[in-house]
């Protein structure tokens, strides 16, 4: 069962936005970057356990949850700058960075650009643009909602007033039908209710071509030099690991069976079992 450790919420200015940030524990910093349709509460199943030995920092990404909802800046480069500024504002000279879904590309880009800032990198359940290695994952085409979310103004107009069943579909699919705790479900639905909240969420999808190009440009001149772990489940599986293999000096990959896309909520015990030994090298001897 998760260890209950008190967290506190802070509002922190970084890169022109105000981020709502949950912080717990003391020790080497661990930065957790969520995806869609999540908030920092995605990490509730492991945050307390990590906080026993680390300073855990879990922001609502820009446009999500209680963070600012700017017009733009939903590309990986800007999101990486958000994360860099957040660590600076908190006085952290380095961090282990953990990203899933929409949090993966900015985590990788930050690590490529600022290897001295990212001690360790953990990424899950996302693909990095057109980097080779994941062709088998999208052989049948990208998921239907990518196209739906990409058309400017369409999805938020269609979904306004029907957010709850739409979010529920992703939560059920992302846990292979097992669902998420009621309080987490309610928090996610609230966070993505309203046309403006939806616009921000779908702006991540509209920025995907830009984010993909930013990753492509970065790997042309840089490699991931820090210890890196790729964790896949369903549906990405080993796709991300295969993309990372040619550009990473020290990579370990894991493929969780009987686990949905939302790994931290669907299989928190299995995820923590992978994170604990991987992050332990940062602890004082």
């Amino acid at each position: 069962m998760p260890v209950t450790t008190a967290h506190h919420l802070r509002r922190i200015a970084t890169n022109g936005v105000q981020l709502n940030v949950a912080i717990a524990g003391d020790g080497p910093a661990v930065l957790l970057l969520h995806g869609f349709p999540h908030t920092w509460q995605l990490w509730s199943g492991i945050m307390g356990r990590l906080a026993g030995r680390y300073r855990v920092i879990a922001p609502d990404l820009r446009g999500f949850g209680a963070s600012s909802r700017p017009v733009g800046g939903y590309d990986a480069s800007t999101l990486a700058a958000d994360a860099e500024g957040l660590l600076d504002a908190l006085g952290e000279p380095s961090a282990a960075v953990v990203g899933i879904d929409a949090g993966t590309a900015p985590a990788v880009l930050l690590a490529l650009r600022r290897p001295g800032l990212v001690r360790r990198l953990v990424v899950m359940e996302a693909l990095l643009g057109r980097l080779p290695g994941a062709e088998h994952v999208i052989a049948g085409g990208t998921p239907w909602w990518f196209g739906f979310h990409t058309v400017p103004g369409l999805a938020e107009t269609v979904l306004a007033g029907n957010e709850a069943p739409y979010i529920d579909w992703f939560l059920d699919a992302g846990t292979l039908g097992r669902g998420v705790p009621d309080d987490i479900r309610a928090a996610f639905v609230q966070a993505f209710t309203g046309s403006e909240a939806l616009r921000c969420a779908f702006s991540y999808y509209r920025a995907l071509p830009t984010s993909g190009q930013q990753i492509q440009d970065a790997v042309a001149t840089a490699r991931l030099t820090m210890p890196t772990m790729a964790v896949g489940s369903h549906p990405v599986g080993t796709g991300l690991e295969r993309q990372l293999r040619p550009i990473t000096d020290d990579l370990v990959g894991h493929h969780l069976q009987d686990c949905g896309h939302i790994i931290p909520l669907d299989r928190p015990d299995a995820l923590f079992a992978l994170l604990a030994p991987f992050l332990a090298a940062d602890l004082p001897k």
Side-chain angles (χ1 to χ4, degrees):
M1 294 297 291
V3 175
T4 300
T5 301
H7 68 269
H8 62 280
L9 294 173
R10 290 181 57 183
R11 196 157 183 86
I12 298 176
T14 170
N15 198 29
V17 294
Q18 297 274 336
L19 297 183
N20 179 57
V21 187
I23 302 173
D26 292 293
V30 177
L31 177 64
L32 306 176
L33 303 178
H34 67 82
F36 169 84
H38 320 140
T39 67
W40 71 266
Q41 287 147 300
L42 170 75
W43 308 105
S44 59
I46 63 167
M47 192 170 179
R49 283 180 278 191
L50 289 174
R53 309 181 83 180
Y54 305 93
R55 187 188 192 193
V56 186
I57 303 163
D60 287 339
L61 301 184
R62 70 162 56 204
F64 287 160
S67 290
S68 298
R69 296 175 177 174
V71 172
Y74 298 97
D75 58 285
S77 180
T78 304
L79 294 163
D82 289 353
E84 181 177 355
L86 173 58
L87 292 174
D88 182 64
L90 292 173
E92 294 291 352
S94 67
V97 179
V98 181
I100 187 170
D101 192 70
T104 290
V108 169
L109 200 55
L110 180 62
L112 287 166
R113 291 179 173 177
R114 292 292 311 278
L117 184 63
V118 180
R119 295 189 311 270
R120 290 178 169 263
L121 177 66
V122 181
V123 284
M124 298 177 273
E125 278 296 285
L127 296 181
L128 295 171
R130 297 178 180 176
L131 294 187
E135 293 80 6
H136 65 291
V137 179
I138 56 174
T142 56
W144 62 265
W145 59 87
F146 277 67
F148 179 46
H149 293 173
T150 299
V151 181
L154 176 62
E156 52 266 48
T157 301
V158 171
L159 293 172
N162 294 288
E163 296 91 345
Y166 194 66
I167 298 304
D168 282 341
W169 186 89
F170 285 96
L171 300 183
D172 288 342
T175 57
L176 304 183
R178 288 182 281 263
V180 304
D182 289 344
D183 58 335
I184 302 298
R185 181 260 180 193
F188 289 173
V189 170
Q190 180 182 20
F192 291 93
T193 293
S195 59
E196 186 65 5
L198 292 172
R199 176 195 65 80
C200 294
F202 303 146
S203 291
Y204 280 76
Y205 291 86
R206 294 161 194 168
L208 282 175
T210 299
S211 297
Q213 189 60 55
Q214 290 166 346
I215 294 289
Q216 193 77 44
D217 292 344
V219 300
T221 58
R223 293 179 56 81
L224 293 170
T225 56
M226 67 291 299
T228 300
M229 181 165 68
V231 183
S233 55
H234 175 81
V236 176
T238 60
L240 179 58
E241 177 188 351
R242 294 185 183 189
Q243 286 186 312
L244 290 173
R245 185 70 61 186
I247 62 168
T248 308
D249 291 345
D250 181 1
L251 176 66
V252 59
H254 298 280
H255 185 189
L256 296 178
Q257 303 297 321
D258 188 30
C259 180
H261 176 68
I262 313 176
I263 296 172
L265 289 176
D266 195 26
R267 296 285 301 279
D269 293 342
L271 177 58
F272 182 73
L274 296 177
L275 288 176
F278 184 76
L279 299 177
D282 290 338
L283 295 170
K285 304 302 182 189

